[in-house]
Amino acid sequence: MKLTRAGLEADRAAFEAAGYSLPTFDYETVKKNTLENPAWIHFGAGNIFRAFQANVVQNLLNRGILTAGLIAAEGYDYEIIEKSNRPHDNLTILATLKADNTVEKTVVGSIMESLILDSGNEKEYSRLKEIFAKPSLQMASFTITEKGYAVTDAKGNVLPAIAADFEKGPAAPDSYLGKVVSLLYHRYQNGRLPLAMVSMDNCSHNGDKLFAAVSAFAKAWCEKGLAEKEFMDYVTDRSKISFPWTMIDKITPRPDAKVEAMLAADGIEELEPVITSKNTYIAPFVNAEECEYLVIEDAFPAGRLPLEEGGIIYTDRETVDKVEKMKVCTCLNPLHTALAIFGCLLGYTLVSDEMKNPLLKKLVETIGYVEGLPVVVNPGILDPREFIDQVVNVRIPNPFMPDAPQRIATDTSQKLAIRYGETIKAYQKDPSLNVADLKLIPLVFAGWLRYLMAVDDQGNPFTPSADPLLEAAGAYVKDYELSHASKDLDKLDKLLSNEKVFGVDLVSAGLAETVKNYFAELSCGVGAVEATLRKYTNQ
């Protein structure tokens, strides 16, 4: 059996006998509708898009709620389209890995067209311009990572590729964002048509990040006379172009070899992953958890698609922000980061296995239910306690999810402030709460310091995950060894007072001594991490 349109037609009965759910909509009719009157184009044809948005659209097509499918475009790694999408006729196998040890297998066929966002490729770029000139187009969405929206570096200097495109104008830009804005300019030139530009990346206030990038290009081009001056008015007019905030949550680890073997055992051929020249790991299948959330600000000047029929939530901007804070500051991300740090120290390679350890389970339950919930931002549309229940009892323990603490530990220095600092600030502001009552959030901070030593609980060296502050922060602990009575702990104060790292000055907040004492206990010898966890989780 082959994952192609011809393969599905030839072996439909065999696919169904092997337990696969297949598209039931009229493919040729939907494709015709999509090509002639596209409604939704998505940039960044990666795993979460194929596992989540594309599957939602397929379900709506099957039910007759939608009549047009998706168009996928890729502007960074063209090989994703060339070596994965097109050889399989834009089909994907979605393996939904459930906590009850079952796998739901779906052939997702809602992507009707895949395109390369390359201004130097006349055929591909002309087709994209044609799509952007269509009045039917309602939404251009994005999963290009938070870094994809960057216009400047950490020092505020315009990135070289962006600066070059500022000078070139909209005719043939090279940067990802430049190419997107040039398409938007083409839409402006073809009737100033409305459109929602929807970032679905997992970052706070993502719509603002996309707007900042788009408006920077528009401003530069208009000021240099490379675009009509009214283009800036078009971009900043929310009745024409909107940049809704969204919150997305679905774990989609990179394609797993065990899932590949399972699908191959069903008789499906040519499922081998491809590693592109840009180091993208892509496969004709995706493996993902069953839980998924997508909350979108209801701001669609060209009309909105009925995605609420597929479980996606439309709401106002304030509520999107509350959902984001609930997830990031209390109900999910702080728990993940705690497991990432201590999982690396204790030698785990699967997050799901960590939840079998009563010490780690109690750690995250206490951080979530006891220390976080008293100050949680309740969005009203999702219940925080139920959300944590799902995370602790279903999502993280899912034995089929091949997610690693080492992956989650990436860029930890950039995560601590929002994932824990906001809780500390809330405690400081509430007269009924006492910062000193926080016991396990400071233990996570101490665990990170111990992690920076790059030695696990058995005394074996390990390689910490990538982090922009790895070297700078690691310098504070490089002289400590696994021995009793860590000396000169006060030299950690300079790091612990860094509000950019922790969200608050831990020295001023009165938590620095607690963190240092925990660090001393965690680093007092082999087995000290486990012993310290046992002590403070009372297990």
Side-chain angles (χ1 to χ4, degrees):
M1 300 187 300
K2 291 188 176 182
L3 186 65
T4 61
R5 290 299 311 165
L8 277 189
E9 291 176 12
D11 294 310
R12 188 174 188 91
F15 272 98
E16 290 176 339
Y20 289 79
S21 297
L22 304 180
T24 59
F25 57 86
D26 185 321
Y27 182 84
E28 292 304 324
T29 299
V30 169
K31 183 173 183 179
K32 182 176 184 292
N33 292 342
T34 306
L35 298 185
E36 293 179 358
N37 294 294
W40 182 357
I41 185 169
H42 184 86
F43 294 91
N47 289 334
I48 193 167
F49 165 68
R50 295 190 294 152
F52 192 172
Q53 293 95 324
N55 192 43
V56 168
V57 170
Q58 169 144 309
N59 291 333
L60 295 178
L61 288 170
N62 287 342
R63 293 162 57 193
I65 294 171
L66 290 179
T67 57
L70 284 156
I71 297 172
E74 176 56 44
Y76 170 70
D77 194 337
Y78 306 152
E79 291 178 61
I80 292 174
I81 302 298
E82 296 167 335
K83 296 183 177 180
S84 184
N85 280 66
R86 290 178 179 170
H88 297 280
D89 297 330
N90 297 311
L91 298 172
T92 298
I93 293 175
L94 167 59
T96 302
L97 312 177
K98 298 190 172 184
D100 64 1
N101 292 334
T102 62
V103 181
E104 184 178 279
K105 298 173 291 188
T106 307
V107 175
V108 179
S110 60
I111 300 172
M112 297 292 119
E113 184 178 19
S114 56
L115 295 164
I116 293 169
L117 178 61
D118 179 4
S119 60
N121 186 320
E122 184 177 353
K123 180 182 178 182
E124 300 280 340
Y125 211 57
S126 293
R127 173 57 185 153
L128 284 162
K129 291 170 77 172
E130 181 183 337
I131 291 165
F132 266 73
K134 292 280 190 178
S136 61
L137 190 65
Q138 295 173 276
M139 172 164 61
S141 59
F142 303 81
T143 48
I144 59 175
T145 76
E146 184 172 4
K147 295 176 183 177
Y149 305 108
V151 173
T152 61
D153 61 20
K155 296 181 180 179
N157 300 313
V158 177
L159 296 169
I162 304 295
D165 279 352
F166 282 177
E167 298 296 328
K168 284 182 181 178
D174 292 321
S175 67
Y176 203 131
L177 290 169
K179 291 178 284 190
V180 168
V181 181
S182 76
L183 294 175
L184 192 59
Y185 184 58
H186 186 71
R187 188 168 181 80
Y188 160 81
Q189 291 177 311
N190 283 269
R192 305 187 185 189
L193 299 168
L195 186 67
M197 302 282 282
V198 187
S199 169
M200 295 180 178
D201 275 297
N202 186 18
C203 54
S204 182
H205 301 174
N206 44 22
D208 286 354
K209 290 178 171 60
L210 178 56
F211 170 73
V214 171
S215 60
F217 274 91
K219 182 173 185 288
W221 289 347
C222 291
E223 287 179 348
K224 296 176 189 297
L226 299 170
E228 294 178 26
K229 62 180 181 180
E230 290 81 8
F231 180 52
M232 188 66 186
D233 298 330
Y234 172 72
V235 165
T236 55
D237 183 352
R238 280 178 60 86
S239 71
K240 290 291 186 181
I241 303 298
S242 66
F243 297 86
W245 291 4
T246 69
M247 189 288 294
I248 192 166
D249 182 19
K250 185 176 181 73
I251 299 173
T252 52
R254 86 180 207 171
D256 186 70
K258 288 179 290 191
V259 174
E260 180 187 350
M262 177 190 69
L263 302 179
D266 288 338
I268 301 179
E269 306 169 43
E270 300 174 0
L271 292 175
E272 297 79 8
V274 171
I275 300 176
T276 70
S277 58
K278 289 192 173 181
N279 243 8
T280 304
Y281 191 97
I282 194 82
F285 66 92
V286 289
N287 37 249
E289 66 170 341
E290 59 188 302
C291 294
E292 57 189 26
Y293 302 90
L294 178 54
V295 182
I296 306 177
E297 178 189 354
D298 190 357
F300 288 83
R304 76 181 193 201
L305 296 165
L307 302 181
E308 71 277 8
E309 297 288 340
I312 290 172
I313 300 172
Y314 289 114
T315 186
D316 56 72
R317 174 169 288 201
E318 182 182 4
T319 304
V320 174
D321 191 40
K322 288 180 178 179
V323 173
E324 175 76 22
K325 287 179 178 176
M326 179 198 76
K327 182 193 82 162
V328 173
C329 303
T330 307
C331 297
L332 174 63
N333 296 27
L335 314 189
H336 257 164
T337 292
L339 290 172
I341 291 169
F342 286 102
C344 291
L345 289 171
L346 295 174
Y348 285 94
T349 56
L350 286 175
V351 175
S352 57
D353 285 344
E354 292 188 65
M355 293 300 283
K356 300 173 185 176
N357 184 327
L359 306 180
L360 297 175
K361 188 171 187 290
K362 184 64 177 294
L363 172 71
V364 296
E365 286 176 341
T366 304
I367 291 172
Y369 292 114
V370 178
E371 299 188 349
L373 267 186
V375 294
V376 72
V377 175
N378 191 332
I381 60 172
L382 295 173
D383 181 82
R385 178 173 286 276
E386 291 178 4
F387 195 97
I388 297 180
D389 287 344
Q390 189 87 345
V391 168
V392 171
N393 299 318
V394 178
R395 300 179 68 182
I396 300 178
N398 187 336
F400 274 16
M401 285 300 294
D403 211 3
Q406 291 76 17
R407 182 193 73 82
I408 301 170
T410 302
D411 297 338
T412 297
S413 70
Q414 311 300 294
K415 300 171 180 176
L416 297 173
I418 186 69
R419 299 187 180 189
Y420 303 103
E422 294 304 307
T423 294
I424 297 172
K425 290 177 187 177
Y427 270 71
Q428 290 175 321
K429 291 177 183 177
D430 191 330
S432 68
L433 297 172
N434 188 347
V435 172
D437 290 334
L438 295 173
K439 301 299 182 184
L440 296 192
I441 287 177
L443 184 60
V444 175
F445 293 155
W448 181 59
L449 298 179
R450 175 66 181 77
Y451 168 91
L452 291 172
M453 294 172 67
V455 178
D456 68 20
D457 200 30
Q458 298 305 308
N460 302 313
F462 68 88
T463 302
S465 301
D467 190 313
L469 291 185
L470 191 61
E471 184 176 351
Y476 287 94
V477 301
K478 66 181 180 65
D479 296 329
Y480 295 121
E481 297 178 356
L482 295 189
S483 60
H484 292 284
S486 297
K487 299 177 181 178
D488 301 323
L489 291 175
D490 288 345
K491 72 179 184 180
L492 295 172
D493 285 346
K494 186 175 180 180
L495 175 59
L496 296 177
S497 63
N498 190 327
E499 293 184 24
K500 289 185 177 180
V501 174
F502 298 100
V504 296
D505 178 341
L506 294 178
V507 176
S508 299
L511 291 173
E513 291 303 315
T514 301
V515 174
K516 289 187 290 187
N517 290 336
Y518 283 160
F519 173 68
E521 292 185 66
L522 290 167
S523 56
C524 71
V526 171
V529 172
E530 183 174 349
T532 305
L533 282 169
R534 187 176 305 280
K535 176 180 178 181
Y536 292 105
T537 60
N538 300 311
Q539 295 295 299

